[in-house]
Amino acid sequence: MRSDGSRFFAQTERHLLGVQGMHPTRIEPFLDLAESYALLNRSRKTPRDLLRGRTVINLFFEDSTRTRTSFEIAGKRLGADVVNMTVATSSVNKGETLLDTAATLNAMRTDLLVVRHAQSGAPALLARKVEASVINAGDGTHEHPTQALLDALTIRRHYSSLTGLTVAICGDIANSRVARSNIHLLTAMGSHVRVIGPPTLVPGSIAALGVEVFHSMEEGLAGVDVVMMLRIQRERMAGGVVPSPREYFRFFGLDARRLALARPGALVMHPGPMNRGVEIASGVADSDQSVIAEQVEMGVAVRMAVLDRLARGKSG
């Protein structure tokens, strides 16, 4: 299954299935609203009755404690009733099809449905079958739109604008929906994007998305404003796609020496969870240049903004 998330989003703004094709005039309102929620969260003055009476269901077919918890906190801070559906113990795991699930959710009169699925296009299929607004929380290797939005917000808080920045995305590009969504969003906002990784993890077609491709950390990190590391899956190593953890870190890990090649004060990012000593050194992850904890904070604010806008059906 495959979807053009922007098609659903642009027509009615009922769903958020992807950022591919989204115009800056549609991205900016999300970032602006999320910024206001970030400030409200810090002041502990969030509007806890905004989504009162609305139901948000987190339907996660893949484990992701961080993303699910972030959506749960976002919904509850806005006053929604939030339900986490544990797929491993539900009827879905007993043979119920995705379309059967859609029918069940329709019968429950769900307002907002947050979906994470291992198959690309699963949230788009549900969006065609349910009355609720659907938010893609990650589908296969397709997209992870709220991660890209929170990354963009984090960067914008430090540089004020995304236009003209050079961002390096490093690691498993081929299998990363985070990388794909960030490429779409950052290039749309006027950033220059570089991807860095071993040839086995960087698809040859990626350059068509308007990025520069590097297979050397030293060359790719030279002069960048932001270094975004990606988690390397252990199964990639077990399958021989990449060398051992020690060898991977030797060639593609981010340490202080490599970070020094970037612009002074360059931001260090990671979507989490991190493999310390594999893709990133602890000293770098915990340094003053790291905004990894801020990404988590902005994740709640962005997801509050998404729930807010979709629940109210704003256009533009």
Side-chain angles (χ1 to χ4, degrees):
M1 290 181 288
R2 183 172 176 80
S3 71
D4 179 359
S6 62
R7 176 170 63 86
F8 288 92
F9 187 83
Q11 285 179 354
T12 63
E13 202 160 309
R14 281 191 58 227
H15 311 297
L16 178 59
L17 304 177
V19 296
Q20 183 179 6
M22 282 178 64
H23 192 271
T25 56
R26 291 192 175 274
I27 296 171
E28 288 285 1
F30 272 109
L31 300 184
D32 292 342
L33 183 57
E35 176 65 37
S36 70
Y37 276 128
L39 296 175
L40 286 171
N41 286 338
R42 289 186 176 184
S43 70
R44 300 185 183 278
K45 295 179 180 179
T46 52
R48 296 181 179 273
D49 60 347
L50 191 66
L51 296 185
R52 181 177 296 170
R54 303 293 186 97
T55 301
V56 179
I57 292 184
N58 289 328
L59 181 62
F60 277 50
F61 295 83
E62 284 186 322
D63 290 333
S64 179
T65 301
R66 182 184 304 242
T67 301
R68 189 193 68 239
T69 302
S70 182
F71 270 110
E72 181 176 4
I73 292 173
K76 288 182 175 178
R77 284 188 180 170
L78 294 174
D81 297 317
V82 182
V83 178
N84 294 319
M85 286 187 64
T86 306
V87 174
T89 58
S90 74
S91 57
V92 176
N93 201 46
K94 300 171 185 175
E96 182 176 285
T97 70
L98 201 59
L99 296 181
D100 291 333
T101 301
T104 300
L105 293 170
N106 271 335
M108 293 179 179
R109 303 299 181 190
T110 305
D111 297 293
L112 295 141
L113 180 62
V114 182
V115 182
R116 189 180 185 96
H117 201 284
Q119 189 169 2
S120 299
L125 176 60
L126 281 172
R128 291 194 291 268
K129 302 296 182 180
V130 299
E131 296 176 7
S133 292
V134 176
I135 301 165
N136 180 5
D139 62 330
T141 59
H142 176 226
E143 280 217 42
H144 194 348
T146 58
Q147 180 69 47
L149 286 166
L150 75 88
D151 289 341
L153 178 61
T154 304
I155 296 170
R156 197 180 74 164
R157 287 170 60 87
H158 290 266
Y159 287 110
S160 74
S161 175
L162 299 171
T163 303
L165 295 179
T166 301
V167 180
I169 304 177
C170 316
D172 185 0
I173 307 298
N175 299 289
S176 175
R177 54 197 172 205
V178 172
R180 199 170 306 278
S181 285
N182 268 294
I183 289 169
H184 291 315
L185 190 149
L186 291 170
T187 54
M189 297 300 292
S191 297
H192 306 291
V193 179
R194 301 176 182 177
V195 296
I196 310 171
T200 53
L201 295 179
V202 179
S205 59
I206 200 72
L209 298 182
V211 303
E212 290 185 272
V213 178
F214 294 86
H215 299 302
S216 163
M217 289 287 281
E218 285 71 17
E219 293 178 8
L221 292 180
V224 303
D225 301 289
V226 180
V227 184
M228 185 181 297
M229 302 305 296
L230 300 174
R231 182 171 180 264
I232 183 72
Q233 302 288 337
R234 296 284 182 171
E235 54 265 32
R236 311 282 179 237
M237 299 177 190
V241 177
V242 296
S244 66
R246 177 180 293 183
E247 284 297 296
Y248 184 85
F249 184 77
R250 177 185 172 193
F251 290 103
F252 295 100
L254 182 66
D255 55 16
R257 176 182 62 85
R258 288 191 171 120
L259 180 58
L261 299 173
R263 286 186 59 185
L267 303 182
V268 174
M269 308 182 76
H270 195 300
M274 292 181 286
N275 288 314
R276 293 172 180 261
V278 180
E279 67 257 5
I280 190 169
S282 287
V284 172
D286 301 328
S287 70
D288 291 339
Q289 290 176 245
S290 172
V291 292
I292 296 171
E294 186 177 348
Q295 286 176 268
V296 177
E297 180 187 2
M298 292 306 110
V300 175
V302 160
R303 283 149 187 155
M304 289 174 73
V306 169
L307 292 173
D308 178 353
R309 286 184 65 86
L310 294 190
R312 291 194 283 177
K314 284 192 172 182
S315 58

